[in-house]
Amino acid sequence: MNPKTQAEHLETFPEQEESGPSNLKSFCTVATGIHGYEASLLMKSIRLQSDKKIYLITDELGERCLGEEIPDNVDITVISDGLLKKRREEFPEDLATIWPDCANLGNLWNPSEVSLKMDIMSKAINDCGNTLFLDADVILVNPIECKFTAPLVLSPHKVTEEACAAYGVYNGGYVFSSDATFPDYWSKVFREDSVFVEQECMTRFHKEYETALFSDSHNYGLWKSSRLISSGSEEELLSELGLSSGDDIRIEGDQLISFHAHLRPKPDQRLISYNLVRAFYECLKQSTKEKHKQLLDYICSVFIPNAFRLKLGEANTVTV
């Protein structure tokens, strides 16, 4: 079994079933610096759906930005400036010397902070037995009901084969594992055998770990939405993206579990994020589900005002 193309991966590995009961034990995420404030929305969205422990790794600035928005039952690891400096020294200032494809993407990925994913996954798995790593800009809109059996579950991009060859078949911001050896393995191959940061190497994880795949109900992100700004109505936009909202938020008729979206994207991503962010808001507005109303209220009354105060998504920063 040696799938190479995206199509071969999708044909080879089973889809993770959505039916429970869920055996997920924990969530984990990385939230550093001012942009780490995005994790406040992630954690709020988790708490609306689950009381499972959240493992958070952050730095002193990230912790100050999050402040009172850190909910109950969160295990916080605050890394020292010295450790972050040491991680940054591992990577050259010009990332294209390691990953040529980074040259065309601006300052969107920081590999020193990417490396913290593996640290927090390791802690969560060793403490709880399994964990779901989520990037700080993931937003749950429904509960994770999966009964996981494979030790590794990945989220496929489902984009062009050319894009997969360059950036990877799977998304590095949505990864389940129950194997305590996995984070160290990922950390090693990310540094030694990856064409593009931590993602491209994920194409070869199946060689070491039994693998399953999340369904399209999970991790609806920029790669799945049209990047050309839609001038149509909200209903036309949702239809174009395969989304609908009413008694629940759905994708092609199935319950949608999560979005992956920067609500205050950096300048390099603003135009291409427009449709995704607009669709996310419209889904929350049209849904009659109480938890979706609570999530939208939190975004409008807490998250967005603080994001503006912190100048989230802007090139400059403020001291907090």
Side-chain angles (χ1 to χ4, degrees):
M1 181 176 66
N2 190 28
K4 297 184 181 301
T5 66
Q6 173 182 237
E8 290 171 348
H9 275 260
L10 296 177
E11 291 172 358
T12 300
F13 303 114
E15 188 172 278
Q16 170 64 51
E17 293 184 4
E18 299 297 329
S19 58
S22 173
N23 59 349
L24 180 64
K25 301 297 185 184
S26 69
F27 299 87
C28 62
T29 194
V30 176
T32 55
I34 286 173
H35 286 90
Y37 181 70
E38 285 185 314
S40 66
L41 179 52
L42 165 64
M43 292 188 289
K44 177 66 175 181
S45 74
I46 291 174
R47 277 295 164 264
L48 286 171
Q49 307 294 341
S50 171
D51 61 359
K52 300 297 184 185
K53 180 170 284 189
I54 301 169
Y55 287 83
L56 168 69
I57 191 167
T58 185
D59 57 2
E60 293 180 0
L61 177 55
E63 186 181 33
R64 291 202 304 274
C65 290
L66 288 166
E68 296 180 357
E69 302 310 312
I70 299 176
D72 293 337
N73 200 22
V74 175
D75 183 293
I76 307 170
T77 299
V78 180
I79 59 174
S80 66
D81 291 340
L83 174 59
L84 201 52
K85 179 181 178 182
K86 182 179 179 181
R87 290 291 174 91
R88 286 171 178 159
E89 288 173 351
E90 287 188 61
F91 304 98
E93 188 169 328
D94 181 6
L95 298 182
T97 60
I98 302 179
W99 298 292
D101 289 309
C102 286
N104 300 321
L105 292 170
N107 187 28
L108 298 180
W109 285 271
N110 185 322
S112 60
E113 295 174 7
V114 163
S115 72
L116 299 175
K117 293 183 179 185
M118 299 80 178
D119 293 334
I120 200 61
M121 281 195 81
S122 180
K123 181 175 176 59
I125 294 171
N126 281 302
D127 283 0
C128 293
N130 69 42
T131 197
L132 176 60
F133 175 84
L134 301 174
D135 274 350
D137 59 322
V138 171
I139 308 166
L140 294 191
V141 293
N142 276 302
I144 307 285
E145 299 287 5
C146 305
K147 184 176 182 180
F148 296 101
T149 55
L152 183 65
V153 184
L154 304 176
S155 178
H157 284 127
K158 296 188 178 179
V159 289
T160 66
E161 292 290 355
E162 292 76 12
C164 285
Y167 310 130
V169 172
Y170 303 109
N171 182 250
Y174 207 99
V175 180
F176 167 86
S177 184
S178 59
D179 192 312
T181 69
F182 170 70
D184 285 343
Y185 170 77
W186 192 7
S187 179
K188 178 179 173 63
V189 296
F190 149 55
R191 289 168 166 85
E192 299 177 1
D193 181 31
S194 193
V195 173
F196 180 74
V197 203
E198 88 283 22
Q199 284 193 167
E200 188 277 332
C201 61
M202 297 172 72
T203 308
R204 295 177 289 284
F205 284 177
H206 67 276
K207 296 181 178 181
E208 299 292 330
Y209 300 94
E210 179 188 352
T211 302
L213 309 182
F214 283 109
S215 72
D216 289 344
S217 294
H218 293 258
N219 203 27
Y220 191 97
L222 188 59
W223 51 92
K224 293 182 179 178
S225 67
S226 170
R227 300 189 179 193
L228 297 175
I229 292 179
S230 173
S231 59
S233 68
E234 283 76 8
E235 290 297 336
E236 290 171 331
L237 173 62
L238 294 186
S239 177
E240 177 186 341
L241 300 182
L243 300 170
S244 61
S245 185
D247 65 325
D248 207 336
I249 298 173
R250 303 184 184 278
I251 177 167
E252 304 297 348
D254 294 326
Q255 185 184 64
L256 186 70
I257 306 300
S258 50
F259 284 89
H260 196 151
H262 296 285
L263 298 191
R264 290 280 296 163
K266 294 180 181 180
D268 291 350
Q269 286 190 312
R270 284 178 188 164
L271 288 178
I272 59 176
S273 298
Y274 178 82
N275 289 340
L276 176 61
V277 174
R278 183 183 172 204
F280 167 75
Y281 278 120
E282 195 58 33
C283 283
L284 287 186
K285 285 168 57 181
Q286 291 189 20
S287 174
T288 59
K289 220 170 185 178
E290 180 59 30
K291 289 182 178 180
H292 294 158
K293 294 180 183 300
Q294 293 175 23
L295 183 60
L296 183 58
D297 180 68
Y298 175 82
I299 292 170
C300 295
S301 63
V302 178
F303 179 78
I304 291 299
N306 282 334
F308 273 97
R309 176 178 62 83
L310 294 169
K311 298 185 179 180
L312 202 65
E314 297 183 21
N316 58 326
T317 58
V318 295
T319 300
V320 293

